[in-house]
Every structure is written in structure tokens, then in C-alpha cells.
Amino acid sequence: MSEVRLSLDEVAQLVGPLAPSAATHQFWANARDHQLSRRKHWFDAGFDAFFEPASQSVRFVRSEGRRFEGAPPPVWTEPPTTDPDELARSVRALREKLKGRSGPLPPPPGSTDVQKVMGQTTRYNRDPNVIAWVIEQADGVCEVCEKPAPFARADGTAYLEVHHLRPLVEGGPDTTDNAVAACPNCHRALHYSAKSTALRAAVIVRLERMVDHPCKLNAAMQPIPTQ
Ligand SMILES: [Zn+2]
Ligand SMILES: [Zn+2]
């Protein structure tokens, strides 16, 4: 089967009530690579979708070049961890699994409520899936200066670091819309440069996936009351 046509009613029976905007082409066919695209749901299942106003139906067509039986196996399976070695191991395992993959890679959900573990140094329960996705998307190029990573790791992969534009310590989420792949130089600049605020703002403007998450802690690291 390479194509299936479903009326809006039939789709609603499968997935529940549809928004009124479902009767527009934009609802079904917004940008393919946009991570927030509704289309990613069926695209991830191997289909492109086309709305046909005349028949109030949607045509799902097998996406070109995608060959798999049923749904692809889940990618984002590594649990968050506070142990840096375990985190690095999980990221390596994920990147190994992603080798040779092509086409858009749906982002992992990450965490908007990052757990903090107090000890001699405070550690955050970080999601290796978010790191692996960000590094994979960057494809060896720093997302800040847009230059290739300055060196390769021992295993041959490009060395890039993942930075949270709204730091976890300020209540930023561990999600792909808050995490950027940076070369070591740009990573230090994001933290310590006199122009770090402008640099951060520029990255948020340039990279479509980024969200300017609010700071949830004040300078004294106390929660900012919400109105
Ligand atoms: Zn850079
Ligand atoms: Zn950082």
C-alpha cells in the first residue's frame, strides 16, 4: 500500500476530534522539517499528507525514499542521568544507533522540570537524548559561529558541546528548543564573553527551533514570583 485516502470524519474517528483548521491545506502540509509541524506525526510514520478540499478528505502517500515495516523503532530511549560518565556513554550509544540514518529526525521531548541533585557539586539530571539530537542536527558544525568543529574525537566524530541558552540553574528546560551545539570557543563565549547576552540573543533569532525561555531565578538564585 502506497496511498490511502481518509475523509476528515474517518481521520477524526482514528485520532479524535479535529480542529476547525483541519479543513485547510496548511493544517496538513506545513513545513516538513519544522519540529513543531503537525505533519511530523504522519511523516514519522512514513507518509506525506495532502488535504483535498473538494472531497473534504486527506490523502496519505508513502514518503519517497522511506522504507521500513510499520513504525520505525523508537530512538530516544536513554534515561536522564546525573552521572557525567553515564551521560557521555548514553550519548555515544544514541549516536551509534543514528549512524547512517537519513531524513528529518524528530526531536526527543526532553524535560521542562529538570531534577537537581545536591552534593559536593550540584548536578542536573540531564537527558542524553536531547544531547544526541542536538549534536546530530548540527552535523559537525558549530551552531553559533557556523564553522566546522575544531577537532574530532578519538572515535572520529566532530567535537561539539551542548549548551543550554537558558541555563538549567536559571530554571531553563532540558529540551531541544533550549539546547545548542557549540564549538568549545563559542561555548566559553556564551558563558563568559562580555557580549554573551548579545550572542545568546543572536542564536535565538537565527535558529528557528530556539525559544527564549524566561529566567525563573533572580541573581540571588531565588525563584522569581509569577504574577
Ligand atoms: Zn563556534
Ligand atoms: Zn554551557
Side-chain angles (χ1 to χ4, degrees):
M1 177 197 58
S2 63
E3 187 170 325
V4 61
R5 186 190 302 261
L6 297 170
S7 70
L8 288 181
D9 287 343
E10 287 169 326
V11 175
Q13 279 170 29
L14 288 170
V15 303
L18 295 168
S21 58
T24 64
H25 189 64
Q26 290 79 358
F27 182 91
W28 300 95
N30 44 3
R32 166 178 296 203
D33 291 327
H34 197 281
Q35 61 159 329
L36 299 176
S37 169
R38 294 184 187 89
R39 181 172 163 181
K40 82 184 183 69
H41 300 299
W42 44 91
F43 187 74
D44 290 347
F47 289 93
D48 279 317
F50 304 92
F51 180 63
E52 301 194 337
S55 57
Q56 291 288 295
S57 65
V58 189
R59 207 157 50 88
F60 295 91
V61 182
R62 253 295 178 239
S63 302
E64 234 171 80
R66 293 189 140 224
R67 303 236 169 279
F68 48 76
E69 303 295 321
V75 176
W76 309 122
T77 50
E78 295 286 327
T81 176
T82 57
D83 177 348
D85 293 335
E86 183 62 21
L87 187 67
R89 191 208 60 75
S90 289
V91 172
R92 274 200 306 277
L94 285 162
R95 301 209 61 214
E96 193 61 36
K97 186 156 75 173
L98 293 169
K99 260 188 189 161
R101 194 185 187 286
S102 63
L105 186 59
S111 170
T112 52
D113 182 26
V114 183
Q115 299 305 304
K116 183 160 66 172
V117 178
M118 308 292 229
Q120 282 193 324
T121 56
T122 300
R123 282 178 177 168
Y124 290 89
N125 201 27
R126 290 192 56 186
D127 188 339
N129 304 296
V130 169
I131 297 174
W133 184 87
V134 169
I135 298 279
E136 201 70 27
Q137 291 291 111
D139 198 19
V141 176
C142 171
E143 292 185 299
V144 183
C145 65
E146 302 184 285
K147 292 186 186 130
F151 55 87
R153 291 175 188 272
D155 66 3
T157 59
Y159 183 87
L160 290 173
E161 298 171 352
V162 173
H163 169 74
H164 291 96
L165 285 176
R166 175 61 65 198
L168 300 180
V169 70
E170 291 177 6
D174 190 17
T175 50
T176 57
D177 60 14
N178 189 41
V180 66
C183 69
N185 205 42
C186 287
H187 193 184
R188 291 284 131 176
L190 282 162
H191 280 269
Y192 302 114
S193 164
K195 295 176 181 164
S196 65
T197 305
L199 193 55
R200 174 183 185 276
V203 172
I204 291 172
V205 167
R206 188 158 44 74
L207 296 182
E208 198 195 355
R209 76 166 187 276
M210 289 310 182
V211 171
D212 189 3
H213 289 281
C215 183
K216 293 184 182 167
L217 296 176
N218 63 21
M221 291 301 147
Q222 298 302 312
I224 296 169
T226 48
Q227 293 84 344

